[in-house]
Amino acid sequence: MTGRLVVVGLGPGSAAQVTPEALAAVEASEDFFGYIPYLDRLSLGPHQRRHASDNREEISRAEQALRLAASGGKVCVVSGGDPGVFAMAAAVCEAIESGPSEWREIDFSVVPGVTAMLAVAARAGAPLGHDFCAINLSDNLKPWSLIEKRLRLAAEADFAMAFYNPRSASRPEGFVRTLALLRELCGDARPILFARAVTTAQETLHIVPLGQARADMADMRTMVIVGSSRTRIIERARGPILYTPRGIPDEAAG
Ligand code: SAH
C-alpha cells in the first residue's frame, strides 16, 4: 500500500509566519522527518512520531521518509523557511529520481513557506524591490570556483544579492573571500545587510557600507543582502529603511 509524503516549509521562525496550509499538512501527518530544531517547532499529538536527524544527513533522511511513505505512512518532511530553497524538497526529488520505481507511485507534494530572504527583506524595507538573485554561499555541495563565478556575474548584472548560509565554523574562510570580492566588484559604499534569526526573539539587523563589513558579522543563522547600485537607505529616527526602487531610467541601465 502506497502512502503519502508532504514536504513542508515552516517559515523563518515565528509561529505567525507558518502558513495555514503548512499547519494543516502537519496536522494530517503521522511521521515527521527533519533536522531537530525544525522538529522542535512542531506541537505534535500522541499519534504523531518524530524521526530526528542531523542537518548533514539530507539524502538518507529523504530515503527513510520515502521508504515509510511507500509502505503506507502519512509522512511529513519539514524544512525551515521554504522547503524548495536550499532545503529538503530537492533532496526528496533527488531520492525519488534515483530510487526504486515504487517511490514514483507515492502521493508526493510540497507546501511552500516564507523563505528567509523574503522575511529579512520585509524587515529591512524593500531591498529586493527590483531584480535580484539568491546564492547559497556554502561550498558543501559545489566548488568555491563556481560561487566566485556567480558572485562576479551577479555583480556585473547589477542584481541585488541575497546570500544563504554565509558562514559556518567549519568553513570560516569562504565568507572572508566573499566580502573581499564584493568590495572589489561593488565598491566600499554599497550597503550590506546582516539579518540574524529574523522573526525570533534573537533577531538582529545591521546595515553597513561594504567597506565596514566584517566576516564575523555573520553566522549560520544570518542572511546577508547586498544591494544593487540603485539600492538606497532612508535614514529615520526609528531606524533606516533599505530599499531598491522599482524602476531604472533608460540612461542608468548601462
Ligand atoms: N530553506 C530555508 C533556507 C535553508 S539554508 C529558507 O527558505 O529560508 C539556511 C540559511 O537560511 C541560514 O544559514 C541563513 O542564511 C538563512 N536563514 C534561515 N532562517 C533565517 C532567519 N530566521 N533569519 C535569517 N536568516 C535565516
Side-chain angles (χ1 to χ4, degrees), residues 23-58:
L23 276 182
V26 167
E27 271 171 30
S29 300
E30 289 174 354
D31 287 277
F32 295 82
F33 289 83
Y35 180 39
I36 298 152
Y38 303 143
L39 290 176
D40 285 346
R41 283 167 55 188
L42 305 172
S43 0
L44 299 181
H47 63 294
Q48 295 177 309
R49 292 171 291 274
R50 287 163 53 115
H51 306 262
S53 52
D54 190 76
N55 209 12
R56 287 172 295 265
E57 298 165 1
E58 291 183 338

Side-chain angles (χ1 to χ4, degrees), residues 144 147-149 151-156 158 161 163 175-192 209-213 226-227 229:
W144 165 257
I147 296 175
E148 180 170 334
K149 178 177 172 187
L151 289 170
R152 286 186 184 281
L153 293 173
E156 185 189 332
D158 201 19
M161 298 173 239
F163 299 124
F175 192 54
V176 174
R177 286 152 82 180
T178 299
L179 286 179
L181 187 61
L182 287 169
R183 275 197 296 274
E184 173 197 323
L185 298 167
C186 305
D188 280 355
R190 184 72 59 88
I192 179 169
L210 254 177
Q212 289 174 25
V226 173
S229 66

